[in-house]
Amino acid sequence: MNILWISFLGSWTLPLLKTIKQTNHVGIIIPIIDGKENLLQEKDGICFYSLALSSKECYTNMDIETYYKYKKIIDTFKPDIIHIHGTEKNLAQIQNFIKDIPIVISIQGLLIGCKPYTYNFVKKKIVHKFRSIKNLFGKGGLKLMYKVVQRGTPYETDILNNGKYFFGRTNWDRAYIMFHNPKAHYFTGEELLRESFYDNAGTWKINQCTKHSIFMPSGFNPIKGMHLAIETIYLLKQYYPNVLLVIPGIPIHILQMNRLSRLITGEEFITYIQHKIHEYNIEDNIRFLPRLDAIEMAEEMKKANVFLSPSSIDNSPNAIGEAMLIGTPIVSTPVGGVTSFLEDESSTLFAPAGDPYMMAYQIKRIFDDENLAATLSNNAHQIALKRHNKENTVKQYIDTYKKIISLRHQSTEK
């Protein structure tokens, strides 16, 4: 098969694409926002097409001029099927112009599903007190984050309503397809993880981790719940003075801004987080790390006593899958698609979204009970081994591609 992907390059795409290309001819169009030229590069048997697009061309309803930019590559590659990853940008709207090639769309996150939960129990009026001059002029800040979600609603709704074939992984994304588009075909398509996590699968050990340490994926977006994690640490400190929260991914230069710099070019949410850390007197209990590669992330997860995910909404976050594969005990909110692959008291301990008291309580249970920690670790690891199995996942996609092509041929023959 000639299989063409359209996707922003991410950790969740390349592992699968590299495996699929062993028995198929594969290519990938990578939109480059505000890029200056289109490039073709063949590497390891994969055709990489970088497509220069403006921000407007990715974040508004796709017009015919933008489609023709894709069409040049599609006509060159001559795919039997096109696989588009994500609905958060308008990539999948090429289905409005292409009628002779089957298109399948993978659901990653869903803007319309996340929109009601954007602020994640954060008090907007209090955070706005920390706005910089940059934020006041509409650059960065919570208001811009909300606008990004809001402006994607029209094209994402169009994609869901008009798509014929979808890949999903959870009951949450299935529900959105089911009620937006009852005639659509829904297929299960799991994701492969980065190689370092397979290399370290099952390596978490209770007697080798750093006791009373917590690892969570970072994020400027309040949806991810950094502010709730900070409150959770404040509560836990009265029982464990040495409790440590490790958060990667925040550029160090932002954290090291002086007062004047924060006032001019700071980010209100990060400044608010720093204020809360100082107010709670937990500076020694928080460790910010720069952006980590896969090897470094795996090492941090192995060292952690608990992996914390305090999101207000999520579908199937890869970071949780990575923690499951390594075996780090997980405390998570039971939101979105998370309940489709984690079970309370078996492979995780759930805490209600927005509730730092229950998050602290569930973490304390793991800190205090090594048998519980080991049970959660092993059960989550076993689920991840099946869910992210390389051979099964690749077969899942190849079989589905063939089925979709067959369904397409049947419909054109009628």
Side-chain angles (χ1 to χ4, degrees), residues 172-192:
W172 186 70
D173 61 39
R174 183 189 289 268
Y176 276 82
I177 298 302
M178 179 184 296
F179 291 105
H180 273 85
N181 190 346
K183 294 182 180 180
H185 296 267
Y186 179 96
F187 303 95
T188 299
E190 300 292 355
E191 290 184 342
L192 296 186

Side-chain angles (χ1 to χ4, degrees), residues 116-311:
Y117 307 96
T118 304
Y119 295 112
N120 193 5
F121 302 93
V122 72
K123 296 177 180 178
K124 290 181 286 183
K125 290 183 179 180
I126 294 178
V127 176
H128 285 338
K129 293 178 182 178
F130 298 92
R131 281 181 290 189
S132 64
I133 294 174
K134 180 186 76 172
N135 297 152
L136 287 169
F137 278 94
K139 295 182 180 292
L142 298 187
K143 189 173 288 188
L144 179 62
M145 289 181 185
Y146 186 76
K147 284 183 178 178
V148 168
V149 174
Q150 194 172 33
R151 73 182 176 184
T153 299
Y155 60 73
E156 186 177 66
T157 301
D158 174 73
I159 291 166
L160 297 183
N161 288 346
N162 293 299
K164 290 185 173 63
Y165 310 105
F166 291 92
F167 276 119
R169 293 165 285 159
T170 68
N171 290 333
W172 186 70
D173 61 39
R174 183 189 289 268
Y176 276 82
I177 298 302
M178 179 184 296
F179 291 105
H180 273 85
N181 190 346
K183 294 182 180 180
H185 296 267
Y186 179 96
F187 303 95
T188 299
E190 300 292 355
E191 290 184 342
L192 296 186
L193 304 176
R194 292 174 288 181
E195 195 61 38
S196 296
F197 294 92
Y198 292 98
D199 294 340
N200 287 278
T203 56
W204 184 89
K205 305 295 180 187
I206 186 65
N207 58 352
Q208 295 176 9
C209 71
T210 302
K211 295 296 176 64
H212 307 154
S213 66
I214 303 163
F215 181 86
M216 70 158 287
S218 71
F220 287 98
N221 195 327
I223 280 179
K224 297 299 183 181
M226 194 189 307
H227 54 295
L228 295 166
I230 297 300
E231 292 185 43
T232 299
I233 293 301
Y234 171 68
L235 296 172
L236 286 168
K237 187 174 180 178
Q238 61 186 301
Y239 289 95
Y240 315 99
N242 67 332
V243 65
L244 178 66
L245 175 65
V246 179
I247 308 175
I250 301 179
I252 298 300
H253 75 275
I254 293 179
L255 297 172
Q256 294 177 342
M257 282 182 172
N258 59 37
R259 186 173 180 180
L260 179 60
S261 297
R262 285 199 300 269
L263 179 63
I264 299 172
T265 61
E267 279 295 330
E268 61 180 334
F269 184 63
I270 299 302
T271 304
Y272 168 71
I273 289 293
Q274 291 177 296
H275 169 77
K276 295 302 291 184
I277 291 172
H278 178 72
E279 181 183 52
Y280 288 149
N281 191 28
I282 54 174
E283 288 93 339
D284 293 337
N285 303 98
I286 310 292
R287 190 173 81 208
F288 289 108
L289 299 177
R291 186 178 179 85
L292 305 180
D293 62 24
I295 295 174
E296 293 166 330
M297 284 282 283
E299 286 302 314
E300 290 297 331
M301 289 186 189
K302 285 166 59 176
K303 289 190 291 186
N305 202 160
V306 171
F307 176 96
L308 174 63
S309 177
S311 299

